[in-house]
C-alpha cells in the first residue's frame, strides 16, 4: 500500500515577491514539506508566480525596448523562466531542510506545460494584467502586434487571457518521479499554457488560474489530500464583517451552498472552494485543507484551518 499522496499549492503569500522574500518564504515552506515527508507522505508542489512572472516579463520587455536587435520574449517563455527561478529556490530550501534532519531525498523541478483550448472564451475576454505601465504610444504599438491593453493609473498595461487548463502534458513524468520517491515541484504558475497544433505544442500568450491547476495536478497524481496555502488561517463565513465566523469543517454540499449564498469572494476564496469540490468529486477518501503556511502544522492536526470532505 502506497504512502499518502499530498499535493501542496503555494499561493503568493507563501512565496513572497522579491528575491530575498522568496528565499525566506521557500525556507518556511521547506519546513512544512519536510514535516510531511517525515510523516511518510509523497509530496508534489505547485506554486503561484504572479509577481515573479510579471517581473520577468517587464525586464525582458524593457531589454527589447532598449536593444531592438533582440526579439521580444513570448509570455510562455517568461512562464517557463519563472518555473525555473522559483523551483530552484524551493529545491534548494527543501533539500537543505531535509538533509539537516538526516533525510536524503531527491527534489526535482519539472518544467510543465498545460494544454488549453484555442477556442476557450477567455481568449476573447482577457482579464489578467501583466507587465510594466506603458505610455499611450507604447500601448498603441502593443495593440498593433495583436496584444490587448487596459488603462491603469499612470498609463496602460497589457492584459492576457486565463483559459481553463485541459491536460498536464508532463503528468506521466510527474507520477514517475513520485513513484521513485522524489519530491516534485511541477506546474508552477499554473503551468506553461500551450496549444496543440498537429505534432507541435505552441506556447500561448496566457496565464492559468493557479487554483485550477492545483486541482488538476492533485487529481492527476491521485492525491489523497490537496493543501491550498493562502493568506487566511481558514475559510470564513461573512468574511470581513463583524459577523465573521470560521468554518473549520465543511462537506462539499455545505461548501456548494455557501458558494451559492455568495459567502466566498470571486477573486480569492471562491475559486479555491470550486477547486476543492471538483477535486473531491464522489470520493469518500479525498480531502482539501485550506490554511496559511505558518499554521499548516496546527491545521494538519485539526486545530485550525478548514477541512473539506465529501
Amino acid at each position: 500500500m502506497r504512502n499518502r499522496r499530498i499535493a501542496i499549492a503555494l499561493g503568493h503569500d507563501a512565496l513572497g515577491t522579491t528575491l530575498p522574500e522568496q528565499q525566506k518564504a521557500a525556507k518556511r515552506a521547506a519546513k512544512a514539506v519536510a514535516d510531511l515527508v517525515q510523516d511518510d507522505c509523497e509530496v508534489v508542489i505547485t506554486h503561484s508566480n504572479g509577481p515573479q512572472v510579471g517581473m520577468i516579463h517587464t525586464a525582458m520587455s524593457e531589454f527589447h525596448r532598449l536593444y531592438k536587435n533582440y526579439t521580444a520574449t513570448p509570455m510562455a517563455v517568461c512562464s517557463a523562466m519563472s518555473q525555473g527561478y522559483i523551483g530552484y529556490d524551493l529545491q534548494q530550501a527543501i533539500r537543505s531542510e531535509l538533509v539537516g534532519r538526516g533525510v536524503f531525498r531527491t527534489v526535482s523541478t519539472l518544467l510543465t506545460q498545460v494544454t488549453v483550448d484555442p477556442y476557450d472564451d477567455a481568449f476573447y475576454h482577457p482579464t489578467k494584467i501583466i507587465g510594466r505601465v506603458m505610455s499611450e504610444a507604447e500601448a498603441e504599438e502593443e495593440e498593433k502586434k495583436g496584444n490587448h491593453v487596459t488603462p491603469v493609473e499612470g498609463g496602460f498595461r497589457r492584459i492576457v487571457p486565463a483559459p481553463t487548463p485541459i491536460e498536464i502534458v508532463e503528468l506521466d513524468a510527474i507520477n514517475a518521479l513520485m513513484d521513485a520517491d522524489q519530491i516534485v515541484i511541477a506546474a508552477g504558475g499554473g503551468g506553461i499554457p500551450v496549444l496543440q497544433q498537429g505534432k507541435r505544442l505552441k506556447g500561448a500568450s496566457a496565464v492559468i488560474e493557479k487554483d485550477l491547476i492545483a486541482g488538476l495536478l492533485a487529481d492527476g497524481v491521485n492525491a489523497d489530500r490537496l493543501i491550498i496555502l493562502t493568506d487566511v488561517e481558514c475559510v470564513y463565513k461573512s468574511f470581513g464583517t463583524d459577523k465573521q465566523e470560521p468554518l473549520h469543517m465543511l462537506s462539499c454540499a455545505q461548501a456548494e451552498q455557501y458558494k451559492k449564498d455568495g459567502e466566498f469572494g470571486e477573486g480569492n476564496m471562491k475559486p479555491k472552494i470550486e477547486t476543492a469540490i471538483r477535486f473531491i468529486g464522489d470520493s469518500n477518501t479525498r480531502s482539501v485543507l485550506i490554511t496559511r503556511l505558518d499554521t499548516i502544522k496546527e491545521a494538519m492536526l485539526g486545530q485550525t484551518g478548514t477541512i473539506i470532505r465529501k
Side-chain angles (χ1 to χ4, degrees):
M1 184 176 179
R2 69 171 174 83
N3 296 332
R4 284 190 304 160
R5 279 202 167 177
I6 306 291
I8 302 175
L10 297 173
H12 163 54
D13 291 274
L15 275 178
T17 300
T18 66
L19 177 57
E21 284 179 0
Q22 180 175 297
Q23 290 174 334
K24 288 179 182 177
K27 289 180 180 179
R28 291 195 297 270
K31 294 182 185 299
V33 172
D35 288 342
L36 291 169
V37 171
Q38 288 193 305
D39 196 28
D40 293 326
C41 294
E42 299 172 355
V43 180
V44 62
I45 303 160
T46 186
H47 56 78
S48 173
N49 73 339
Q52 292 85 354
V53 77
M55 176 184 66
I56 292 167
H57 183 269
T58 299
M60 300 308 289
S61 296
E62 186 68 8
F63 188 76
H64 171 60
R65 186 180 70 83
L66 294 173
Y67 301 96
K68 296 299 183 183
N69 290 336
Y70 289 91
T71 56
T73 306
M75 189 66 201
V77 176
C78 293
S79 295
M81 288 179 176
S82 74
Q83 285 189 6
Y85 163 47
I86 298 169
Y88 169 71
D89 277 346
L90 285 172
Q91 265 186 223
Q92 292 279 50
I94 295 167
R95 181 184 180 280
S96 295
E97 181 66 28
L98 288 171
V99 170
R101 300 185 187 196
V103 179
F104 298 91
R105 192 72 59 83
T106 301
V107 187
S108 298
T109 298
L110 192 65
L111 284 179
T112 314
Q113 303 171 96
V114 179
T115 57
V116 296
D117 184 352
Y119 301 106
D120 190 307
D121 190 57
F123 283 107
Y124 305 98
H125 303 95
T127 57
K128 296 295 181 179
I129 298 176
I130 63 165
R132 65 182 178 87
V133 176
M134 298 177 286
S135 67
E136 186 173 355
E138 289 172 324
E140 288 176 358
E141 284 299 316
E142 282 296 315
E143 290 184 320
K144 287 178 182 177
K145 297 175 189 174
N147 296 325
H148 298 272
V149 298
T150 188
V152 297
E153 185 178 350
F156 297 82
R157 291 180 69 186
R158 188 176 165 194
I159 51 173
V160 296
T164 300
I166 298 173
E167 182 180 18
I168 297 173
V169 177
E170 288 79 16
L171 184 60
D172 286 347
I174 295 167
N175 276 303
L177 290 170
M178 294 189 75
D179 289 342
D181 212 22
Q182 295 194 26
I183 298 156
V184 185
I185 302 160
I192 305 163
V194 292
L195 304 166
Q196 184 80 49
Q197 295 188 344
K199 296 179 181 179
R200 181 171 174 255
L201 295 173
K202 177 178 172 56
S205 291
V207 297
I208 294 174
E209 289 287 358
K210 316 310 179 291
D211 294 319
L212 292 180
I213 204 62
L216 193 63
L217 176 64
D219 182 65
V221 302
N222 193 24
D224 302 288
R225 171 170 284 185
L226 168 60
I227 301 175
I228 300 176
L229 298 178
T230 185
D231 59 351
V232 290
E233 190 170 324
C234 61
V235 178
Y236 293 93
K237 180 182 178 183
S238 304
F239 180 68
T241 72
D242 55 3
K243 295 181 180 179
Q244 180 172 296
E245 176 187 343
L247 301 169
H248 292 299
M249 297 288 292
L250 283 173
S251 68
C252 285
Q254 289 172 322
E256 185 68 53
Q257 187 58 55
Y258 281 130
K259 188 186 79 164
K260 288 180 181 176
D261 292 342
E263 290 288 351
F264 309 128
E266 287 289 337
N268 41 62
M269 192 53 69
K270 185 179 177 182
K272 294 172 177 56
I273 295 297
E274 290 173 339
T275 291
I277 294 170
R278 192 178 301 112
F279 165 67
I280 293 168
D282 291 326
S283 172
N284 289 312
T285 57
R286 288 181 172 185
S287 64
V288 174
L289 169 62
I290 301 176
T291 192
R292 284 199 317 252
L293 176 60
D294 60 353
T295 55
I296 186 173
K297 197 168 187 176
E298 294 80 4
M300 289 293 287
L301 296 172
Q303 297 170 358
T304 188
T306 297
I307 293 286
I308 304 173
R309 292 190 174 92
K310 183 173 184 297

